[in-house]
């Protein structure tokens, strides 16, 4: 059975850049966009052109630069937004306008002080207007996670008829459970007329730590685009993390889903985005955190030294990390110490190792982590015959 392609829609430069204090200038955005294109991202959401002259310029420059990916600009269901986005995208080889409106009762009542029928009319008008500028129009039903499925299906049907090519079903508040979000996609697949004329897209926020799980549940139930960001950055607790969804599909061939992403660029891209945004990656972040391939407890270290796969499901080289690391702490065992000592030039016999290990534990109880320079000092201050060292 072949694999179905899931399109990767990267919104690092739009939803990701909404993180307070993470503003990027156009030059920095161009470097990131170029890397995303090289990595095989299908769609780059370059910004929200009407939001500021700076954002307009960034979208325009990215549209000129990007060779392969579709370049997308966000709008509200407002004529002026759509005109400005079309203008910013005019040099794109593959332009897409991403327009939409809130569809949950909460958005309809409180934000728009409107009613369901009026919202459908505004959604249809926005899609039709966007279609006068570009062929590829994505529609987002903001707060779809909390939108009643029957009404959501009516909205989707109306915008497909108006020409939408992609239907974005955002869990804007990160509220849904994976089963609930997956069921929503399945419901739309089964109940929206002409659903096969459009691609269903997952756009999940991480308020309950479920963004990745929800996106995968969406894809299992028929979505063929996932909207995500590098390092999972984004509003509040962030968006679905690109590196996580890509590697979940790679590590689970049983899902029969895959992307175009060159995973070997994941680690370096994570580092690039983190540095440019001044936003550190948590050390225990899946796939790209500094501890993602680090082993520190004695039992795990012994297992990994004997066979990497004992405690690692991903080959670090597959995501661009040169090798797993064996971190020396007071929890480490003899196998780890012998391994690291060998790496810095000491081939210890069993008797020598016992002595050095005793000395090592004294150091390790005083220090959080033992580095290579410490290993030299530990070996040299252990009561062993230095001339007999290999
Ligand atoms: O989270 C959301 O609903 C969004 C839309 C604007 C697509 O970011
Ligand atoms: Zn969002």
């Amino acid at each position: 059975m072949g694999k179905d392609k899931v399109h990767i829609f990267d919104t690092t430069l739009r939803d990701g850049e909404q993180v307070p204090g993470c503003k990027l200038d156009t030059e920095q955005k161009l470097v990131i966009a170029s890397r995303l294109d090289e990595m095989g991202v299908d769609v780059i959401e370059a910004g929200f052109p009407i939001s500021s002259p700076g954002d307009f310029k960034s979208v325009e420059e990215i549209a000129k630069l990007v060779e392969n990916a579709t370049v997308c600009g966000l709008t509200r269901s407002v004529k002026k937004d759509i005109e400005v986005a079309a203008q910013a995208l005019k040099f794109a080889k593959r332009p897409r306008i991403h327009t939409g409106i809130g569809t949950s009762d909460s958005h309809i009542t409180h934000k728009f002080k409107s009613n369901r029928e009026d919202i459908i009319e505004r959604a249809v008008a926005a899609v039709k207007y966007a279609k006068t500028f570009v062929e590829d129009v994505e529609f987002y039903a903001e707060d779809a996670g909390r939108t009643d499925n029957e009404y959501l299906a009516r909205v989707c049907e109306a915008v497909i008829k108006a020409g939408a090519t992609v239907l974005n079903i955002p869990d804007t508040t990160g509220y849904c459970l994976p089963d609930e979000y997956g069921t929503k996609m399945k419901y739309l697949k089964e109940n929206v007329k002409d659903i096969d004329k459009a691609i269903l897209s997952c756009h999940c926020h991480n308020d309950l730590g479920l963004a990745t799980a929800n996106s995968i549940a969406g894809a299992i139930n028929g979505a063929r685009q996932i909207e995500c960001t590098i390092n999972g950055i984004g509003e509040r607790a962030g968006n679905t993390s690109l590196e996580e969804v890509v590697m979940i599909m790679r590590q689970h061939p049983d899902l029969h889903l895959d992307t175009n992403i060159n995973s070997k660029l994941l680690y370096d891209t994570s580092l690039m985005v983190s540095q440019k945004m001044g936003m550190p990656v948590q050390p225990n972040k899946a796939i790209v955190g500094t501890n993602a391939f680090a082993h520190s407890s004695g039992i795990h270290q012994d297992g990994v030294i004997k066979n990497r796969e004992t405690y690692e499901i991903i080959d670090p080289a597959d995501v661009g990390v040169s090798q797993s690391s064996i971190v020396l702490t007071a929890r480490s065992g003899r196998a780890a110490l012998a391994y690291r000592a060998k790496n810095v030039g000491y081939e210890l016999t069993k008797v020598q190792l016992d002595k050095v290990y005793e000395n090592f534990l004294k150091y390790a109880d005083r220090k959080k982590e033992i580095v290579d320079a410490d290993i030299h000092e530990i070996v040299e201050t252990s009561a062993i015959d230095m001339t007999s060292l290999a």
Side-chain angles (χ1 to χ4, degrees):
M1 186 172 164
K3 289 192 178 177
D4 262 12
K5 180 179 166 180
V6 175
H7 294 83
I8 291 294
F9 175 116
D10 181 279
T11 183
T12 305
L13 301 176
R14 200 278 297 169
D15 226 341
E17 210 231 7
Q18 289 175 210
V19 175
C22 286
K23 184 101 195 72
L24 298 168
D25 61 30
T26 300
E27 276 316 303
Q28 292 171 315
K29 287 188 184 179
L30 285 169
V31 175
I32 294 175
S34 162
R35 166 56 65 84
L36 295 172
D37 199 27
E38 181 192 353
M39 194 164 67
V41 158
D42 300 282
V43 186
I44 297 172
E45 186 161 54
F48 183 10
I50 200 157
S51 66
S52 72
D55 228 38
F56 180 93
K57 180 162 177 271
S58 297
V59 176
E60 192 176 44
E61 295 302 321
I62 291 169
K64 285 182 196 161
L65 173 88
V66 167
E67 288 293 332
N68 307 304
T70 293
V71 179
C72 175
L74 184 78
T75 81
R76 294 165 295 181
S77 282
V78 171
K79 271 188 153 185
K80 187 74 189 159
D81 281 28
I82 295 169
E83 286 160 13
V84 172
Q87 179 74 11
L89 290 167
K90 72 171 183 292
F91 298 111
K93 292 180 187 65
R94 293 174 196 80
R96 175 182 294 180
I97 292 179
H98 188 192
T99 190
I101 195 161
T103 54
S104 65
D105 286 336
S106 158
H107 278 231
I108 295 174
T109 313
H110 304 297
K111 200 162 116 179
F112 300 111
K113 306 205 184 317
S114 180
N115 59 64
R116 288 183 169 191
E117 298 317 309
D118 174 58
I119 292 298
I120 293 186
E121 270 177 38
R122 286 158 76 167
V124 166
V127 171
K128 283 190 175 159
Y129 194 51
K131 285 293 269 195
T132 64
F133 298 100
V134 294
E135 178 45 39
D136 191 4
V137 175
E138 173 167 342
F139 174 80
Y140 64 85
E142 196 181 7
D143 205 15
R146 293 187 299 171
T147 300
D148 154 53
N149 286 349
E150 230 175 277
Y151 175 64
L152 185 59
R154 283 217 287 131
V155 175
C156 289
E157 209 161 288
V159 296
I160 289 177
K161 202 162 160 219
T165 47
V166 181
L167 298 178
N168 179 8
I169 310 300
D171 183 21
T172 305
T173 59
Y175 174 76
C176 287
L177 294 172
D179 187 45
E180 190 183 0
Y181 191 73
T183 303
K184 195 174 275 291
M185 286 294 178
K186 189 165 187 282
Y187 182 88
L188 296 175
K189 264 299 221 202
E190 290 172 354
N191 292 283
V192 173
K193 184 162 172 270
D194 286 334
I195 190 69
D196 293 332
K197 287 189 176 161
I199 294 176
L200 275 168
S201 181
C202 308
H203 178 114
C204 298
H205 280 267
N206 206 30
D207 299 67
L208 292 173
L210 291 171
T212 293
N214 284 345
S215 298
I216 294 294
I220 289 171
N221 284 283
R224 287 296 174 266
Q225 178 176 280
I226 292 180
E227 309 196 2
C228 44
T229 60
I230 301 294
N231 300 332
I233 56 167
E235 281 274 346
R236 308 182 307 280
N239 288 56
T240 301
S241 139
L242 181 148
E243 53 280 3
E244 291 174 14
V245 289
V246 166
M247 291 315 291
I248 288 170
M249 289 184 251
R250 287 282 148 85
Q251 298 308 117
H252 282 273
D254 48 310
L255 293 177
H256 302 289
L257 299 171
D258 203 3
T259 67
N260 265 351
I261 299 295
N262 173 0
S263 65
K264 292 195 162 57
L265 292 175
L266 287 175
Y267 181 66
D268 195 59
T269 308
S270 157
L271 214 61
M272 172 198 273
V273 169
S274 160
Q275 283 167 356
K276 293 208 181 302
M277 287 194 162
M279 174 107 174
V281 176
Q282 71 192 64
N284 59 323
K285 168 81 181 62
I287 321 293
V288 291
T290 46
N291 289 350
F293 299 99
H295 305 275
S296 70
S297 91
I299 296 170
H300 287 213
Q301 291 175 329
D302 182 53
V304 168
I305 291 166
K306 286 175 176 148
N307 179 355
R308 188 189 61 73
E309 288 178 17
T310 316
Y311 287 103
E312 274 182 5
I313 58 160
I314 298 171
D315 182 342
D318 287 348
V319 297
V321 173
S322 54
Q323 58 177 7
S324 325
S325 54
I326 298 293
V327 182
L328 290 181
T329 70
R331 304 288 151 263
S332 302
R334 284 174 176 71
L337 178 61
Y339 173 86
R340 286 281 304 274
K342 190 174 172 191
N343 282 355
V344 294
Y346 305 106
E347 189 95 53
L348 301 170
T349 64
K350 182 167 178 328
V351 177
Q352 287 167 335
L353 179 61
D354 282 345
K355 284 208 165 148
V356 174
Y357 186 66
E358 219 175 283
N359 197 18
F360 159 79
L361 284 180
K362 288 184 202 138
Y363 271 74
D365 269 337
R366 292 197 303 266
K367 272 195 92 182
K368 278 198 169 76
E369 189 185 329
I370 299 295
V371 297
D372 286 353
D374 300 320
I375 298 175
H376 289 292
E377 194 177 321
I378 291 167
V379 173
E380 278 153 32
T381 57
S382 300
I384 57 172
D385 176 5
M386 299 294 289
T387 57
S388 70
L389 285 174

